């Protein structure tokens, strides 16, 4: 399946793109590369032959073939919108998420223990696990059921302690 992903170089967009590629899908990423972080994230996913990048949807429309059956996923800071086939667009508020590349300054996270505490206080889900669930719903054509889904820590396959060090190391690489 080919999926069009808007804001593919937002930190959550990166996790969505990575999960889509890992699941064997082709990704058309739409996002302007206008800062250093987006440039770094581009380097991580652009090496995959199933990833194409365009700065705008108009640029994409002018340079590649597409169909109306492609799912469109848009990631904004606090919401996720999915348009699939002729179904109505589904928009949902994102649960608290954590992962590599997340902005920790606005959350006042200064140590790895602060990060762990924030995850526990917010009941945050690892972004990769969240997008695995979202992509599973898209693949099954069950996009509308995402609005009613209650995401919880018990559904997470990856426990925070397994990824905290990696997240923290990525944070320090980019300061």
């Amino acid at each position: 399946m080919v999926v069009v992903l808007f804001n593919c170089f937002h930190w959550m967009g990166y996790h969505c793109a990575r999960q889509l590629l890992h699941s064997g899908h082709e990704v058309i990423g739409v996002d302007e590369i206008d800062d250093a972080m987006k440039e770094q994230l581009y380097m991580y996913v652009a090496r995959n032959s199933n990833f194409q990048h365009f700065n705008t949807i108009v640029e994409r429309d002018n340079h590649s073939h597409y169909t109306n059956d492609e799912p469109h996923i848009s990631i904004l800071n606090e919401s996720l919108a999915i348009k699939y086939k002729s179904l109505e667009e589904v928009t949902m508020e994102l649960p608290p998420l954590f992962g590599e590349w997340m902005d920790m300054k606005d959350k006042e996270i200064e140590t790895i223990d602060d990060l762990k505490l924030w995850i526990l206080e917010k009941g945050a889900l690892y972004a990769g696990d969240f997008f695995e669930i979202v992509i599973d719903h898209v693949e099954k054509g069950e996009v509308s059921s995402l609005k009613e889904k209650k995401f919880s820590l018990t559904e997470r396959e990856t426990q925070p302690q397994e990824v905290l060090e990696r997240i923290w190391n990525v944070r320090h690489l980019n300061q």
Side-chain angles (χ1 to χ4, degrees):
M1 170 170 40
V2 176
V3 179
V4 180
L5 177 60
F6 295 89
N7 287 331
C8 62
F9 301 128
H10 181 280
W11 77 270
M12 286 184 263
Y14 161 77
H15 283 277
C16 185
R18 193 174 83 181
Q19 191 60 45
L20 284 163
L21 293 167
H22 178 74
S23 298
H25 301 291
E26 293 182 43
V27 178
I28 307 289
V30 180
D31 200 346
E32 289 189 32
I33 300 177
D34 55 7
D35 64 34
M37 186 180 91
K38 287 183 177 185
E39 193 169 323
Q40 279 189 304
L41 294 179
Y42 173 82
M43 297 304 291
Y44 281 96
V45 294
R47 295 180 293 179
N48 191 307
S49 63
N50 286 330
F51 180 84
Q52 288 184 346
H53 170 251
F54 297 97
N55 288 309
T56 65
I57 193 65
V58 172
E59 183 180 299
R60 184 278 172 125
D61 291 348
N62 289 335
H63 291 94
S64 76
H65 175 73
Y66 64 94
T67 70
N68 291 331
D69 289 342
E70 298 169 340
H72 285 209
I73 300 175
S74 299
I75 298 173
L76 306 169
N77 285 328
E78 303 297 326
S79 66
L80 175 72
I82 302 172
K83 177 77 173 137
Y84 189 38
K85 297 190 179 185
S86 59
L87 303 173
E88 187 175 315
E89 181 175 276
V90 172
T91 302
M92 61 181 275
E93 188 174 318
L94 288 167
L97 300 174
F98 71 95
E100 297 85 353
W101 309 100
M102 70 183 274
D103 184 7
M104 294 186 200
K105 292 176 189 168
D106 66 339
K107 296 169 182 54
E108 299 179 9
I109 297 172
E110 296 180 12
T111 67
I112 197 165
D113 289 333
D114 291 342
L115 176 58
K116 185 182 276 187
L117 183 61
W118 183 86
I119 292 167
L120 293 173
E121 285 177 349
K122 299 291 184 181
L125 300 169
Y126 181 62
D129 293 340
F130 171 77
F131 285 111
E132 184 176 353
I133 293 167
V134 168
I135 292 162
D136 183 57
H137 280 258
V138 171
E139 289 171 341
K140 293 176 180 175
E142 299 172 355
V143 175
S144 59
S145 65
L146 281 169
K147 285 184 97 165
E148 290 83 38
K149 182 138 181 73
K150 302 292 182 213
F151 294 93
S152 69
L153 290 174
T154 58
E155 293 182 53
R156 180 178 41 223
E157 293 178 20
T158 309
Q159 296 303 310
Q161 48 276 33
E162 296 174 10
V163 294
L164 283 175
E165 289 291 332
R166 185 175 65 228
I167 293 167
W168 201 252
N169 289 335
V170 166
R171 178 185 187 267
H172 287 295
L173 287 173
N174 298 300
Q175 286 185 338

